[in-house]
Amino acid sequence: MDRRAFARRLSSAARWFVFALSAGVVGLSGAQERGTGDLGVVIERASGSVLIVAHTTPEVLARVEGLGDLSHASVVFSRDQRFAYIFGRDGALTKIDLLRPGIVARVQQAGNSIGGAISQDGRLVVAQNYEPGGIVAFDADDLHRVAEVPAKAGPDGKASKVVGLADLPGQRFAYALFDAGEICVSDFSVPDTPRTECASAGRQPYDGLVTPDGRFYLAGLFGEDGVALWDSWHPEAGVRRILDGYGRGEALLPVYKMPHLRGWAQAGERLFLPAIGRHEVLVVDRRDWRELGRVAVAGQPVFVMARPDGREIWVNFAFPDNGRVQVIDAETLTVRDTLVPGQAVLHMEFTPKGDQVWVSCRDDDRVVVYDALTHQERNRFAARSPSGIFFTHRATRFGM
């Protein structure tokens, strides 16, 4: 082999080595060799820490501490699934490395925050804030502030709380203004000069979701019966109402915990949504947005989540029924199983192809892993007041 051919081959090997490092294929400086697609994090809300976990085994790999108030924390992942961005209730945004466990960057960006999203190209991380309201965009590499979009004032004259932030195609983000009753879309195609348009949605939109194709944004309404729908393909049509008055004329039960519309489910052409103040799951036709029926369940649903194959819908509940999980048959719309994993079930997460479902039991300080096909317990491990569970395959999906 002549020297030029050797140099070309060496250069190619060097490029592959650099790529492998960034993708998590090769370990370095104590980092374990593993693919990042097998990883995830479990929020330990009481201690301001997270567990880094692997779901193939399943097992706990490490704990990262010093993350502040995680009482309502959420997580998004970098494009290569190596880094997790954690949004704390105290307004802090923290970037952690899943392969070399530790904090990479951290900013105190607001006084009160409940989540965020990452852009389609993975270059911007955007936080949604309660206090002082509005959204703030950060560079995904080092978390320096890129731009912010203030929120319209609510009836009290203060900037509205922002909820339901979701990423859309084309560097856009949709979100709801709880106090101002609007849905807004901010376009960050020019990152430091975002363009924002808003439209009336109804009273107190409390959470939002985007369909898997990134086209439709839905915001649940807390102040009235109904859901607001916005079509990103036809923004000129504005916001329309669906499921209007689904509880009209009936007394609502006290709401002990706000349902998470983000924890929705789609199975074929059906959507499954939690009903506010009711012991029901709403079933909606994805094609025309009309109600198809309801499934009576054991309590007020919080998360309504589809197994990845769409065959089953798993539901957890608000207090006082939060020690149970029910499984709905997506075809017959009947409850086929009731599980009792532990006290205060806060969250569930399926592995990418749905062979497992992980369930956090806050008051028992444990996570229970079920075989999602047989509903039999497969494993369990200790965690400090666990809440949210997030696996890295979320990086490949809109609205996650």
Side-chain angles (χ1 to χ4, degrees):
M1 180 185 300
D2 62 31
R3 285 184 294 178
R4 286 180 296 181
F6 177 77
R8 284 195 299 270
R9 180 167 295 184
L10 180 62
S11 176
S12 176
R15 286 195 301 271
W16 162 249
F17 182 69
V18 171
F19 166 78
L21 286 177
S22 67
V25 178
V26 178
L28 186 67
S29 301
Q32 186 172 355
E33 293 186 20
R34 64 170 68 245
T36 54
D38 188 36
L39 302 181
V41 300
V42 176
I43 301 294
E44 295 184 307
R45 58 184 284 147
S47 57
S49 54
V50 300
L51 297 177
I52 298 176
V53 297
H55 52 70
T56 295
T57 318
E59 63 180 317
V60 176
L61 303 177
R63 172 179 281 119
V64 178
E65 299 181 313
L67 302 178
D69 182 356
L70 300 185
S71 59
H72 194 297
S74 65
V75 179
V76 297
F77 295 97
S78 61
R79 188 185 182 103
D80 63 5
Q81 304 181 26
R82 174 169 180 172
F83 300 100
Y85 300 89
I86 301 169
F87 303 89
R89 188 60 186 259
D90 55 5
L93 169 59
T94 308
K95 178 181 180 179
I96 67 171
D97 190 333
L98 301 181
L99 292 181
R100 302 188 190 105
I103 296 174
V104 176
R106 179 175 168 84
V107 293
Q108 186 67 44
Q109 61 90 29
N112 191 340
S113 179
I114 63 162
I118 190 166
S119 62
Q120 184 179 27
D121 66 2
R123 295 182 180 181
L124 293 177
V125 178
V126 179
Q128 62 178 12
N129 295 321
Y130 269 14
E131 178 64 41
I135 63 173
V136 185
F138 299 88
D139 183 279
D141 287 335
D142 59 9
L143 299 188
H144 75 263
R145 187 173 296 226
V146 175
E148 59 184 287
V149 180
K152 180 180 178 179
D156 60 0
K158 297 181 180 179
S160 179
K161 295 186 286 290
V162 174
V163 294
L165 180 71
D167 58 298
L168 302 175
Q171 299 297 96
R172 294 175 297 169
F173 296 85
Y175 50 97
L177 304 182
F178 179 82
D179 305 289
E182 294 186 344
I183 288 176
C184 297
V185 178
S186 292
D187 186 335
F188 284 84
S189 297
V190 181
D192 59 355
T193 314
R195 295 179 290 107
T196 300
E197 296 184 359
C198 300
S200 177
R203 291 180 55 205
Q204 298 177 321
Y206 67 88
D207 198 3
L209 63 87
V210 63
T211 51
D213 57 6
R215 176 176 176 178
F216 294 100
Y217 179 81
L218 291 80
L221 301 176
F222 186 70
E224 53 189 297
D225 291 337
V227 174
L229 172 69
W230 178 79
D231 184 348
S232 70
W233 289 12
H234 301 286
E236 71 283 355
V239 177
R240 60 178 283 203
R241 290 285 295 277
I242 61 173
L243 305 178
D244 202 19
Y246 64 79
R248 182 175 296 155
E250 301 177 31
L252 293 179
L253 297 169
V255 178
Y256 295 106
K257 181 175 176 59
M258 291 290 281
H260 284 261
L261 197 64
R262 185 64 59 87
W264 67 302
Q266 177 170 322
E269 295 299 334
R270 292 172 171 176
L271 302 182
F272 295 79
L273 307 175
I276 297 179
R278 303 180 64 83
H279 292 185
E280 293 176 334
V281 172
L282 304 178
V283 185
V284 181
D285 191 315
R286 167 67 171 75
R287 295 164 295 187
D288 58 13
W289 308 103
R290 63 184 177 88
E291 182 182 330
L292 293 175
R294 306 180 187 191
V295 181
V297 288
Q300 295 179 36
V302 177
F303 284 102
V304 177
M305 305 180 74
R307 201 171 69 189
D309 63 0
R311 186 67 181 85
E312 293 180 344
I313 311 301
W314 289 55
V315 186
N316 74 321
F317 305 101
F319 176 86
D321 304 299
N322 59 354
R324 290 184 280 184
V325 171
Q326 288 195 311
V327 183
I328 298 171
D329 185 304
E331 186 175 40
T332 65
L333 302 183
T334 58
V335 175
R336 71 191 317 180
D337 207 349
T338 298
L339 308 176
V340 186
Q343 300 182 66
V345 172
L346 295 192
H347 196 232
M348 303 168 290
E349 180 82 335
F350 286 96
T351 48
K353 288 192 175 181
D355 60 309
Q356 304 169 24
V357 58
W358 291 38
V359 179
S360 62
C361 305
R362 181 195 64 197
D363 293 353
D364 284 331
D365 293 319
R366 69 173 178 240
V367 171
V368 180
V369 181
Y370 286 97
D371 184 307
L373 302 179
T374 66
H375 306 170
Q376 299 300 306
E377 184 177 324
R378 177 172 173 178
N379 197 6
R380 64 172 59 191
F381 56 86
R384 303 168 181 168
S385 298
S387 54
I389 303 172
F390 306 88
F391 294 144
T392 57
H393 71 277
R394 286 171 169 255
T396 66
R397 299 176 59 189
F398 287 113
M400 299 296 284

